[in-house]
């Protein structure tokens, strides 16, 4: 189920700001950002480990212009993109230092010399998980061809730097209930900066997220 993605317009704006013509979306999901970019005339590669998400993405308008890859940043074909992005929670799904380092190395290898890497991660100090309750996350979405779907999140464990939660989806058409359990890792800003440097990136700036001010770090890094 797709939540409101008000953050994507800011990524589109950064693609334009940096003049990127070839973009890699790591963890592209159902392709919302990818399709916005190709509509804008950008050449895009979308990679995701969830085949079901890619199938949804391939059914969207402009999807035929995208190069879709089933996998992750460590299994990419040879690329030389101007800009790589990771939106939403993607940077936080890598729970071990080894997986995170491997992802950063894979992204670096996909970039041209002096190519940029832009991604966001939540500031642990803001304790976003305290609002991961049904009260704060409940919503009803009307999905074409599916009908109304109720969705919400419930916090299940906080063992910092790891936070776990369960997403619940209830389909009005037949009453079916689906649940999905996830765990995210909350990294401090200095920790992220050190990992980028170790992977061969220069951190140019750390921005605020325009749609969630004060809640996230938006890293802009350049491949050395």
């Amino acid at each position: 189920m797709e939540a409101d993605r008000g953050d994507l317009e800011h990524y589109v704006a950064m693609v334009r700001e940096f003049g990127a013509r070839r973009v890699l979306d790591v963890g592209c999901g159902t392709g919302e950002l990818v399709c916005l970019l190709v509509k804008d005339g950008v050449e895009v590669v979308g990679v995701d480990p969830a085949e079901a998400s890619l199938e949804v993405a391939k059914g969207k308008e402009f999807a035929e212009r995208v190069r879709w890859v089933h996998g992750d940043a460590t299994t990419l074909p040879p690329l030389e993109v101007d800009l790589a992005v990771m939106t939403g929670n993607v940077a936080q799904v890598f729970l071990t230092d080894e997986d995170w380092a491997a992802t950063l190395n894979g992204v670096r290898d996909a970039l041209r010399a002096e190519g940029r890497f832009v991604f966001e991660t939540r500031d642990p100090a803001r304790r976003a998980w305290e609002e991961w309750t049904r009260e704060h996350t409940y919503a009803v979405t009307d999905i074409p061809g599916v009908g109304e779907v109720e969705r919400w999140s419930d916090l299940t464990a906080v063992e910092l730097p790891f936070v776990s939660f369960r997403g619940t989806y209830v389909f009005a058409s037949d009453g079916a209930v689906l649940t999905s359990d996830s765990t995210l890792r909350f990294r401090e800003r200095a920790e992220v900066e050190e990992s980028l440097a170790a992977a061969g990136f220069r951190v140019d700036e750390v921005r605020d997220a325009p749609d969630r001010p004060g809640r996230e770090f938006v890293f802009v890094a350049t491949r050395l």
Side-chain angles (χ1 to χ4, degrees):
M1 303 303 105
E2 294 173 354
D4 175 44
R5 294 302 309 275
D7 60 313
L8 297 185
E9 63 185 80
H10 306 299
Y11 279 92
V12 173
M14 282 190 283
V15 170
R16 293 171 181 162
E17 174 188 348
F18 298 132
R21 303 312 302 161
R22 294 169 297 175
V23 174
L24 168 66
D25 186 355
V26 179
C28 66
T30 57
E32 287 294 293
L33 175 60
V34 167
C35 290
L36 286 174
L37 292 176
V38 293
K39 181 181 179 181
D40 222 21
V42 178
E43 180 183 326
V44 188
V45 177
V47 59
D48 200 280
E51 195 165 5
S53 293
L54 291 179
E55 286 305 310
V56 173
K58 291 174 183 178
K60 293 184 174 177
E61 189 177 10
F62 306 111
E64 71 280 358
R65 303 183 193 174
V66 179
R67 181 179 180 183
W68 302 103
V69 177
H70 179 220
D72 57 37
T74 69
T75 60
L76 290 167
L79 298 172
E80 219 175 60
V81 299
D82 304 315
L83 176 69
V85 300
M86 286 195 301
T87 70
N89 300 330
V90 173
Q92 294 182 253
V93 304
F94 306 103
L95 304 184
T96 69
D97 292 337
E98 293 77 15
D99 284 348
W100 177 235
T103 296
L104 294 181
N105 289 330
V107 170
R108 184 185 183 280
D109 289 345
L111 287 166
R112 63 166 174 78
E114 295 295 309
R116 289 185 176 87
F117 180 28
V118 178
F119 65 95
E120 64 192 65
T121 186
R122 291 181 176 88
D123 181 354
R126 291 304 299 265
R127 301 176 65 85
W129 57 84
E130 292 180 348
E131 295 183 356
W132 294 354
T133 63
R134 175 168 176 150
E135 177 186 2
H136 285 98
T137 61
Y138 180 85
V140 179
T141 305
D142 192 356
I143 301 175
V146 175
E148 287 192 349
V149 179
E150 298 175 82
R151 55 181 171 84
W152 67 88
S153 297
D154 290 299
L155 187 67
T156 56
V158 179
E159 299 173 351
L160 295 177
F162 307 106
V163 178
S164 300
F165 60 98
R166 173 172 295 151
T168 300
Y169 308 90
V170 181
F171 294 78
S173 58
D174 59 4
V177 179
L178 298 179
T179 59
S180 174
D181 293 308
S182 302
T183 298
L184 299 178
R185 178 168 174 171
F186 282 72
R187 292 177 172 87
E188 299 289 347
R189 171 174 171 169
E191 183 182 359
V192 177
E193 291 179 334
E194 289 169 8
S195 66
L196 284 166
F201 287 95
R202 178 186 70 241
V203 178
D204 297 322
E205 57 180 318
V206 181
R207 301 182 178 185
D208 204 9
D211 57 314
R212 292 180 294 282
R215 292 178 174 268
E216 299 185 353
F217 305 123
V218 180
F219 288 87
V220 180
T222 297
R223 172 188 169 165
L224 296 177

